[in-house]
Amino acid sequence: MSDEETKDKLSDFIAIAIAVVSLITAGVGFLSGSYAGQVGEAQDSAVTAAVNRQQTSIIAHTWLYQDLRAYAEYQRLTALASTTESEALSAQALGDDEAHANTLREQSQEYQTAAAAKATFFSPQYVLDDGSFDQKRFLADQLRFESRNLDTTDPELSFQAAEKASVRVGVLNAATYGFALVAAFLVLASLNEKRLRFLWLGGAILILVLDLGFILAKLILGF
């Protein structure tokens, strides 16, 4: 085989290598862009979830405060009604003025009416047998209700996904730079003759091996 034929075949090889490396570079660049998009989406999702969680928490605690205030007022009015009724009975038993006893009964009835009205402002199913209000269960139910149509997943999970995708973008970008450098060396090899051609070609092969080794190492480490 003549030197001219050898040069032609080498030129063909370099041309094919440039095309292949260019395609690989484009593919890796596209994959890097895809992961970059995932970074943005994961970050947006994390921020949205954090805002939604904060919003639902504020609303749920606001409702809890309103129910607790209404229940406390209900208990106060009920206690006043009971006390006033007892005073009316005591006044009657002691033979006090009947008008005074009736006044106490009317006042007790007013307290009972006000207490019944106030009872409509809290959820009676959360009142326990000992008369206390089950704040924990109320808050859990209210949080579940307020977040029924919202994304309230743990933002940390989305931030971790964004960080993982960001690492992949960094690795793929580094690989892209390596492939681009390989392509540049191959172009230089195609433009030179004799020993310089082999020097550029050898450099391209070395960089390609290092780049592939870098990618393989990251794959093994589960990047």
Side-chain angles (χ1 to χ4, degrees), residues 11-12 25 37 39 55 59 66 77 87 94 98 115 124 142 149 152 156-157 171 173 178-179 186 206-207 219-220:
S11 296
D12 292 341
T25 303
V39 172
Q55 178 182 346
I59 295 174
Q66 292 179 353
L77 292 170
E87 290 177 355
L94 293 174
E98 184 66 25
Q142 198 63 37
N149 296 320
T152 55
E156 186 62 28
L157 298 177
V171 171
N173 283 342
F179 286 127
L186 289 173
L206 177 61
I207 296 172
L219 286 173
I220 292 175

Side-chain angles (χ1 to χ4, degrees), residues 158-186:
S158 295
F159 280 125
Q160 290 175 0
E163 183 179 357
K164 188 174 182 179
S166 181
V167 171
R168 291 177 176 176
V169 170
V171 171
L172 292 172
N173 283 342
T176 301
Y177 299 146
F179 286 127
L181 194 58
V182 170
F185 272 54
L186 289 173

Side-chain angles (χ1 to χ4, degrees), residues 39-150:
V39 172
E41 290 176 1
Q43 290 176 339
D44 289 344
S45 178
V47 172
T48 300
V51 171
N52 288 340
R53 285 165 71 94
Q54 184 68 19
Q55 178 182 346
T56 55
S57 177
I58 291 173
I59 295 174
H61 280 85
T62 300
W63 280 113
L64 174 61
Y65 169 75
Q66 292 179 353
D67 271 49
L68 286 175
R69 185 176 64 176
Y71 182 58
E73 182 65 11
Y74 167 80
Q75 287 183 309
R76 187 184 74 84
L77 292 170
T78 301
L80 286 173
S82 178
T83 300
T84 306
E85 180 65 26
S86 297
E87 290 177 355
L89 293 176
S90 297
Q92 186 177 14
L94 293 174
D96 290 348
D97 184 12
E98 184 66 25
H100 177 61
N102 290 334
T103 300
L104 289 174
R105 289 194 185 91
E106 290 176 359
Q107 192 173 26
S108 175
Q109 185 62 41
E110 290 176 359
Y111 284 139
Q112 292 177 16
T113 301
K118 188 60 66 173
T120 62
F121 289 92
F122 66 87
S123 305
Q125 66 267 31
Y126 297 104
V127 177
L128 301 176
D129 294 338
D130 61 358
S132 62
F133 195 86
D134 193 345
Q135 300 181 40
K136 186 176 181 180
R137 186 163 67 92
F138 177 94
L139 195 58
D141 290 345
Q142 198 63 37
L143 284 170
R144 191 180 304 111
F145 175 79
E146 295 296 339
S147 63
R148 64 194 184 283
N149 296 320
L150 297 174

